[in-house]
Every structure is written in structure tokens, then in C-alpha cells.
Amino acid sequence: YVRAHSVTQGGVEPFVTNRLLDGSTGYHAVAYVRADDTAQKISDLKGRNLGLVDPNSTSGNNVPRFALSKAGIDPETYFSKVIYTGSHENAILALRQGTVDVAYNWWNSETDSNLSRMAAKGMVKLDGFRLIDRSDKIPGGPVVFLSAFPPDMKAAITRAFLETPVKDKAAFDKLSDGKDSGFSPVVHGDYLTIVDLQKFIDDLRKRRS
């Protein structure tokens, strides 16, 4: 959304985002170590291997790099290696196997995260990992429409989304795969932190090109 908003000079605007079962409307980037690791915080991991997900992953790369930069840490010089694992699941598996010493992942709540879903599928055990860092809330990805739509059309579309969980619960449950409780209204101002994040990532890529 932020990229589209920038490219179109405000030609699109957000109007709703998914509301999770616990009522939250965003998620976090978290860092895990193995449960038997003595590290308690990121600063304990200097010179070890960092696992990131994908260069385009918000919670698995962009937010961690942004947070590390604010803490004065350049991942490429602070850690022994920076390894892209390709997926959130692979990041956890790489951590379990010892390929990396710390891995970033997405986390919705204490009861819903990539790690908890992997554990529910029998892929890993929850008690094999320990969370040592959690980012500020990342706003959930929005549904957007064209800014040029007439106000009454915008209102009608927004109302349709907000009312769907009640007026057509079967369709909503199928759409959300049972993982959401509804939609919550959002505006561009809710995504200013992501605007700053995108500027940081763009500058980072320019320096590397």
C-alpha cells in the first residue's frame, strides 16, 4: 500500500484492515533463539549468525533491519553471517538446526504466531525456542480503494466490509480462514511508520547498488 500510495501520489487510500481473533489489528517482528541458548538480548549475539526471511519481508527483514539500525547495529558487520532462509518456516527450522543463532519471524499474539502454527502442525516444539526481542506493532496490511471514488461509493464499500462478518458470516469465515474476527477502519495516518520504514529500505538498497 505504501509503495502504491507513493507512486500514485495519493491515488489510493486504505479503508479497512483485518481484525484478528484477539481484537488486534497488527502484528510484530520477533527474534527467537533456541531455548538452550544463553543469549537474553540481541546485543548478546554479536559475531554469531543472523537468520532473516526474505529481502521483501516486512517482519522477516525490513522491520528487523530498521530496528537494528536505530540501535546502531549494521547486521553485515555485527553478525558473523546474515542468512536469508526464504520463508518464515525455514527461518525457524534453520534456527533449530543451528544454521543460524537467532531468527526473525512474524508474531500476532501469545497464542498466534508462525511458531505456534508450526508447533500445531507438529513441525517443531514450542519449548524449543525462546523469544528475546519484539518490535513495535506493525499495522496490518490494508484493503484500499481509489482516492478518486465518490464519497458515497467509499462509504458504501467500507460499510459492506464492516458488515460482512454479520450479514454474510459464512463468506467471511471462508475469506479469513477462521483466523479473523472482522475488519477495522484505517486511514493513511495509521501507516506513517511504514512510510518511514520504506524510506529506510529504499535508502539501504540505493547504498548497496
Side-chain angles (χ1 to χ4, degrees), residues 189-207:
D190 296 319
Y191 293 89
L192 295 182
T193 56
I194 305 302
V195 172
D196 293 338
L197 171 63
Q198 193 65 63
K199 290 177 180 177
F200 166 79
I201 294 301
D202 286 349
D203 289 343
L204 188 65
R205 288 172 178 168
K206 287 177 182 177
R207 291 198 297 271

Side-chain angles (χ1 to χ4, degrees), residues 13-83:
E13 63 182 88
F15 63 98
V16 294
T17 190
N18 293 49
R19 185 175 64 247
L20 303 178
L21 292 175
D22 65 358
S24 62
T25 57
Y27 62 110
H28 301 263
V30 295
Y32 293 108
V33 294
R34 290 181 297 279
D36 60 358
D37 199 305
T38 59
Q40 299 297 317
K41 52 188 182 297
I42 293 296
S43 57
D44 295 331
L45 292 155
K46 186 175 182 178
R48 301 176 70 182
N49 291 346
L50 168 67
L52 297 174
V53 172
D54 178 273
N56 293 314
S57 172
T58 300
S59 60
N61 181 69
N62 296 348
V63 168
R65 283 186 178 276
F66 195 30
L68 290 170
S69 177
K70 287 182 176 179
I73 295 175
D74 178 355
E76 272 66 33
T77 58
Y78 190 83
F79 297 98
S80 177
K81 290 182 181 178
V82 177
I83 299 172

